[in-house]
Amino acid sequence: MIERQETNQRMSRIVKHNGTIYLCGQVCADATKGITEQTQTMLDKVEALLEQAGSSREHMLSATIYIKDMQHFAEMNAVWDAWVPEGHAPARACVQASMAREELLVEISVVAAEK
């Protein structure tokens, strides 16, 4: 069975299937901020969605991070490294990409297991 939460015509914020949780791409809460703040608020949103879906940071399977400019890679990683629980790092990819809005610096897509 497939369960979709917060669905609109374009996407669902959460999709659950066979114990796996898929989150739609998450961006920051305030795009006027720098990479550190954008990364932190983006991860805060991921954490809230994981909890809503019955998962947690410790249950992440994979993460794909889209960063507007690799010059921000180290700053973004500093926030990421502090956020991911030790011993629970997911499989991860990070690529430079154009963003949907000019002011966005980072976006993430996450797949996790249910608790």
Side-chain angles (χ1 to χ4, degrees):
M1 181 173 117
I2 299 172
E3 177 187 340
R4 302 174 198 279
Q5 296 179 20
E6 299 183 40
T7 300
N8 63 35
Q9 182 178 3
R10 184 168 293 153
M11 66 184 169
S12 299
R13 286 185 60 140
I14 299 168
V15 175
K16 296 168 74 171
H17 180 256
N18 287 339
T20 305
I21 297 161
Y22 305 86
L23 302 183
C24 69
Q26 294 300 305
V27 296
C28 63
D30 183 352
T32 66
K33 304 292 185 184
I35 188 68
T36 298
E37 296 86 355
Q38 285 198 28
T39 303
Q40 186 60 61
T41 61
M42 172 189 76
L43 294 175
D44 292 344
K45 289 167 74 174
V46 167
E47 188 164 9
L49 287 171
L50 287 172
E51 299 240 348
Q52 177 181 332
S55 189
S56 68
R57 293 182 289 166
E58 292 83 2
H59 290 80
M60 288 189 299
L61 302 172
S62 70
T64 304
I65 299 171
Y66 306 94
I67 191 167
K68 183 175 182 176
D69 191 325
M70 283 294 178
Q71 75 176 358
H72 299 300
F73 188 69
E75 293 170 275
M76 180 277 299
N77 273 329
V79 178
W80 171 263
D81 291 345
W83 183 77
V84 173
E86 187 173 338
H88 296 279
R92 188 189 105 160
C94 183
V95 297
Q96 183 169 318
S98 297
M99 296 290 141
R101 296 190 332 250
E102 182 63 29
E103 61 274 13
L104 292 173
L105 302 176
V106 64
E107 181 173 349
I108 191 170
S109 181
V110 171
V111 177
E114 286 184 296
K115 289 183 183 177

